[in-house]
């Protein structure tokens, strides 16, 4: 079985529609795929309606969270939430807040870049997004590519989107609160790419241990941004803390070079996640 538990569609910052995402999963021989768009479950219904026969769909989201890194500094962490009830009031309210804040942030960044001479139209950028989409910097990166300023999303981030002149902070959900909300909504939580230092500051092993005590179910070990030594270290930590270990591509369509199913999760781990969830069920195409 080939299982990929971290993918993105056009409902956040991927390039495949939700229907295209499940079609790509089937075409690449996956037996199960999770749709985990940033701070939204908007793609669930579209993915479910287009689910190819036999493919299992794990409905989820990637939540933007804030955490202490273990030294007192606040850093961004990402939480993969699976099989939760998206109508749970506290969670739905927080996800709406995050989406609105993301849109305001993206517009302000585009305005700053336009004022500095970049060929970016903030109105055009925002008009091209679905009304409730969780807008993010990758959308601005794609606008820069379209304008011929950069050749790739990675180049856009490296040259411009982490620049303090344009970067606008946001108020993410405290990760402990996010875990509590997902559990209250019947879901299970896995910490996404926790030791991916190439992305920026990361949390310490002690922080992962504290999150395990708060109800974190697992850690994403096999991820394109984790080298072999990092994977070994994280796998050892997971064993010590009795956490599940997942593997995922973090697929974004053509926005990244990583193909869907490039990293995978053991079937027994998916079964364990499903057993702990009471929010929504895994869907099976053709069932």
């Amino acid at each position: 079985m080939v299982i990929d538990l971290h993918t993105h569609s056009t409902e956040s910052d991927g390039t495949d529609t939700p229907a295209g995402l499940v079609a790509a999963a089937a075409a690449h021989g996956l037996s199960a795929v999770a749709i985990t768009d940033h701070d939204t479950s908007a793609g669930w219904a579209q993915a479910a309606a287009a689910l190819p026969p036999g493919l299992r769909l794990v409905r989820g989201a990637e939540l933007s969270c804030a955490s202490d890194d273990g030294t007192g500094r606040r850093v961004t962490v990402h939480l993969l939430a699976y099989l939760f009830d998206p109508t749970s009031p506290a969670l739905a309210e927080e996800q709406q807040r995050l989406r609105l804040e993301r849109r305001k942030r993206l517009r302000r960044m585009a305005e700053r870049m336009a004022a500095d001479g970049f060929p970016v139209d903030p109105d055009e950028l925002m008009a091209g997004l679905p009304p409730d989409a969780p807008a993010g910097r990758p959308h601005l990166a794609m606008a820069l590519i379209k304008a011929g300023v950069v050749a790739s999303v990675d180049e856009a981030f490296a040259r411009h989107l982490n620049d303090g002149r344009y970067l606008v902070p946001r108020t993410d959900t405290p990760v402990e609160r996010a875990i509590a909300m997902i559990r209250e909504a019947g879901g299970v939580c896995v910490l996404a790419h926790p030791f991916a230092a190439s992305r920026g500051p990361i949390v310490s092993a002690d922080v992962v241990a504290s999150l395990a005590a708060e109800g974190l179910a697992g850690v994403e070990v096999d991820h394109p941004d984790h080298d072999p030594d990092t994977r070994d270290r994280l796998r050892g930590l997971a064993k010590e803390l009795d956490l599940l270990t997942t593997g995922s591509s973090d697929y974004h369509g053509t926005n990244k070079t990583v193909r869907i199913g490039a990293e995978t999760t053991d079937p027994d781990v998916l079964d364990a996640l499903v057993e702990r969830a009471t929010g929504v069920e895994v869907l099976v195409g053709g069932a």
Side-chain angles (χ1 to χ4, degrees):
M1 297 180 70
V2 183
I3 300 167
D4 190 340
L5 294 183
H6 186 171
T7 69
H8 297 273
S9 79
T10 49
E11 290 300 324
S12 61
D13 57 349
T15 59
D16 292 352
T17 65
L21 177 63
V22 293
H28 283 80
L30 270 64
S31 53
V33 65
I35 181 170
T36 54
D37 283 313
H38 293 283
D39 301 310
T40 185
S41 57
W44 289 11
Q46 299 171 59
L51 198 57
L55 181 65
R56 300 170 73 193
L57 177 65
V58 180
R59 290 169 286 179
E62 185 174 8
L63 310 184
S64 304
C65 302
S67 174
D68 186 308
D69 70 347
T71 69
R73 179 176 55 173
R74 298 298 281 178
V75 298
T76 298
V77 295
H78 290 160
L79 192 67
L80 291 165
Y82 299 115
L83 302 172
F84 58 88
D85 177 1
T87 67
S88 178
L91 179 62
E93 181 179 342
E94 180 64 4
Q95 291 299 287
Q96 178 67 13
R97 181 194 70 79
L98 284 168
R99 289 194 295 273
L100 288 173
E101 181 159 334
R102 277 176 172 270
R103 294 182 77 88
K104 291 177 182 177
R105 178 195 193 215
L106 181 61
R107 174 175 279 281
R108 288 177 62 194
M109 288 189 66
E111 289 171 345
R112 289 183 180 184
M113 297 190 81
D116 212 17
F118 283 85
V120 174
D121 184 329
D123 291 333
E124 181 180 323
L125 174 65
M126 301 310 296
L129 301 175
D132 198 35
R137 287 183 293 167
H139 293 106
L140 187 48
M142 287 182 276
L144 293 174
I145 293 171
K146 183 179 179 181
V149 176
V150 295
S152 68
V153 171
D154 287 344
E155 184 184 354
F157 272 84
R159 290 182 56 192
H160 304 297
L161 299 183
N162 287 320
D163 190 323
R165 291 174 296 173
Y166 312 119
L167 189 61
V168 175
R170 66 179 187 231
T171 306
D172 289 333
T173 312
V175 65
E176 297 85 358
R177 182 182 174 215
I179 291 172
M181 287 192 299
I182 292 299
R183 295 185 71 195
E184 182 180 343
V188 290
C189 300
V190 171
L191 198 59
H193 42 71
F195 287 175
S198 62
R199 290 171 167 257
I202 60 173
V203 296
S204 68
D206 287 342
V207 171
V208 177
S210 70
L211 296 180
E214 295 287 338
L216 182 71
V219 287
E220 189 179 50
V221 173
D222 294 314
H223 182 278
D225 291 340
H226 285 160
D227 62 28
D229 288 344
T230 299
R231 297 183 191 209
D232 288 344
R233 182 160 53 95
L234 190 51
R235 207 177 302 278
L237 178 63
K239 183 176 181 180
E240 177 185 328
L241 299 174
D242 196 26
L243 292 171
L244 298 170
T245 59
T246 67
S248 315
S249 66
D250 200 354
Y251 175 72
H252 282 70
T254 58
N255 277 347
K256 290 188 177 182
T257 58
V258 179
R259 65 172 177 80
I260 196 167
E263 304 281 1
T264 60
T265 294
D266 187 280
D268 290 341
V269 172
L270 176 55
D271 289 344
L273 291 170
V274 172
E275 287 174 5
R276 299 183 190 194
T278 59
V280 298
E281 297 181 347
V282 172
L283 300 178
V284 183

